[in-house]
């Protein structure tokens, strides 16, 4: 598993799964070491309520996590098997939102063929 920086954009309402119990799907932005955006990512499945309380992530937080490609999903943006390592800093992400997240995410517009 790779350790990566992720800006958490949003997560879905928990849904019940027979295979994974209760799960959420999370959308985020993969960041480089300088916290510049690389690409949109989708992380699934995450058993959010089963995470330790200090490992739960709010929207617009930057976290460092171990993730790997989801080999059961053909979509380029799909990742899975998330192990949170640490929350980094909430302040830069909140200031990014206040300035306008459009400027941050515009270079990563996802185009399908």
């Amino acid at each position: 598993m790779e350790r990566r920086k992720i800006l958490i954009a949003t997560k879905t309402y928990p849904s019940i799964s027979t295979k994974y119990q209760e799960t959420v799907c999370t959308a985020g932005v993969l960041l480089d070491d300088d916290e510049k955006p690389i690409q949109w990512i989708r992380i699934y499945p995450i058993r959010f309520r089963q995470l330790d309380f200090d490992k739960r992530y709010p929207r617009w937080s930057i976290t460092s996590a171990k993730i790997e490609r989801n080999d059961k999903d053909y979509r380029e943006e799909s990742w899975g098997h998330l192990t949170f390592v640490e929350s980094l800093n909430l302040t830069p992400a909140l200031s990014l939102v206040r300035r306008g997240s459009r400027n941050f995410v515009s270079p990563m517009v996802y185009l399908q063929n």
Side-chain angles (χ1 to χ4, degrees), residues 50-89:
Q50 293 178 356
L51 293 173
D52 292 338
F53 193 74
D54 63 330
K55 304 291 185 193
R56 295 181 186 183
Y57 49 87
R59 279 181 69 193
W60 304 114
S61 63
I62 296 175
T63 191
S64 176
K66 290 184 180 179
I67 57 174
E68 64 185 14
R69 292 269 179 201
N70 186 344
D71 58 357
K72 295 180 180 168
D73 193 330
Y74 65 91
R75 293 174 283 193
E76 181 183 336
E77 70 275 11
S78 286
W79 294 68
H81 309 290
L82 181 83
T83 305
F84 277 92
V85 177
E86 63 182 323
S87 289
L88 297 177
N89 193 344

